[in-house]
Amino acid sequence: MRCREPYRGTAGWATYVGLAKEGVKFCFTLSVRDIRTSIADMKAFLVAAPGSIWAIEFPNEPDLNPVSYNGVTDKRMGFRTGNAPALMAFIKDFHAAIKVDPVLCSIPLIASNDFMQSQQGRYCDFANSHIYPTPPSDVKARVAGFRTKVVEGKHSQGVITEWGRTTGGGAKNSTSPPVSLSQQATLLASDVRAALAQSYVHTISIYELFAWKGTSEMTNFGLFNNDLSPRPAVAAIKSVIA
């Protein structure tokens, strides 16, 4: 499961620990707070649920969510053009801190998504991309395009940290037009099969776990309904990865 890094003392912390004790492995995305606090919280999480963190991801979509660090704030969209000094300073410092920590040093690090893969390469183990294919698109070509990002970072593999098919919204969706529940199931199963068939794809993360209330694009990517009942995509994906 991919989600924001754990914060001790929050309701989310208890939920994460409960899931981890049931066998869920986490990829935690850094939220750009005090590095010492992040490291302390992750070490505490591993005390509560040993072996439950499989990877740590650098900040999510720093082009749309510019990083502020050590008195510097990146420009919005700067990450897309290679101009993200605050992000890179944070990544460098986090990498230095985690690699000397005997508990966390062996956990793989994933780049921030899509841009500046070469600049991040020395500080991480995997490339990263978000892919939201449109229903008629050539999925094989989209997956093949991901290899470029892997090569840019001088890695052998990468992680597609977001891949989704929404059933909500309409023709003006920012990702793609909506599909039906049955189409979502068929497409996601085929997507996962195509991605994992490539040696350079280490992991594909489906966006997202739950479909929330409402009919909008962003609330209807989920594999489960908001009453926790599974959508058809769950069985379809399980049939591919079983």
Side-chain angles (χ1 to χ4, degrees), residues 139-153:
V139 168
K140 185 176 292 187
R142 295 295 301 273
V143 175
F146 176 53
R147 187 174 183 276
T148 301
K149 301 185 187 300
V150 175
V151 172
E152 285 177 7

Side-chain angles (χ1 to χ4, degrees), residues 31-36 59 66-74 84-95 97:
S31 54
V32 195
R33 54 179 178 151
D34 182 82
I35 291 173
R36 293 167 298 181
V67 167
S68 294
Y69 182 66
N70 282 352
V72 176
T73 299
D74 289 336
L87 171 71
M88 290 308 302
F90 173 79
I91 285 174
K92 180 180 178 180
D93 289 351
F94 185 88
H95 178 268

